[in-house]
């Protein structure tokens, strides 16, 4: 018998017990920042190679006009990404030692790491602006 949308039964029993939590968000963010770090490293490497070959004019547009704000925003995002990924990597290292698996503590540490990654980002960028 074909199922229709009016069927009150859930598609999976897991949908009734699943709930969003900070550790899940932290895991997703850890993967996303890993990808962002990869692309950021490639972009910075290309920029450095162009500078090494004397192609300053080819990348000068990145630091002029409205594009300067886009570049700065991307670099601030990359700084947060690296900071978060590093801090969350430390949490994973603690897990490797068999510590920190309690659900409430793990959720709290996830939130603290997500917020805490703002600190090195802000310190770096506020000092660069001064």
């Amino acid at each position: 018998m074909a199922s229709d949308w009016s069927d009150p039964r859930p598609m999976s029993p897991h949908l009734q017990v699943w709930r969003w939590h900070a550790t899940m968000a932290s895991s997703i963010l850890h993967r996303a920042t890993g990808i962002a770090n990869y692309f950021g490293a490639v972009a910075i490497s290309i920029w450095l190679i162009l500078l090494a070959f004397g192609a300053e004019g080819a990348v000068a547009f990145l630091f002029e006009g409205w594009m300067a704000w886009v570049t700065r925003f991307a670099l601030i995002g990359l700084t947060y990404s690296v900071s978060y990924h590093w801090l969350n990597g430390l949490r994973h290292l603690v897990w490797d030692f068999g510590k920190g698996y309690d659900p409430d503590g793990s959720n709290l540490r996830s939130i603290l790491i997500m917020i805490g990654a703002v600190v090195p980002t802000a310190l770096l960028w506020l000092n660069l602006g001064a």
Side-chain angles (χ1 to χ4, degrees):
M1 177 170 135
S3 176
D4 62 16
W5 292 106
S6 62
D7 191 354
R9 294 176 296 170
M11 293 173 59
S12 167
H14 295 95
L15 294 176
Q16 293 178 347
V17 296
W18 179 86
R19 66 178 179 84
W20 188 262
H21 52 88
T23 305
M24 182 187 315
S26 178
S27 178
I28 293 167
L29 188 57
H30 189 74
R31 286 168 175 77
T33 56
I35 294 167
N37 292 344
Y38 174 80
F39 284 110
V42 169
I44 289 173
S45 297
I46 291 170
W47 177 65
L48 291 173
I49 290 168
L50 288 170
L51 289 179
F53 282 107
E56 293 89 1
V59 294
F61 75 96
L62 293 172
F63 304 98
E64 298 171 351
W66 66 271
M67 194 63 187
W69 287 102
V70 173
T71 302
R72 179 171 288 207
F73 180 74
L75 289 172
I76 291 170
L78 182 61
T79 306
Y80 176 83
S81 178
V82 169
S83 299
Y84 174 80
H85 202 77
W86 185 77
L87 289 171
N88 204 46
L90 289 178
R91 184 175 72 130
H92 284 217
L93 183 62
V94 170
W95 283 354
D96 288 343
F97 287 103
K99 307 287 184 199
Y101 284 115
D102 57 305
D104 291 336
S106 187
N107 282 332
L108 176 62
R109 285 183 290 278
S110 294
I111 292 167
L112 291 175
I113 289 169
M114 285 185 254
I115 296 169
V118 172
V119 173
T121 304
L123 288 174
L124 177 70
W125 284 95
L126 291 175
N127 285 331
L128 284 176

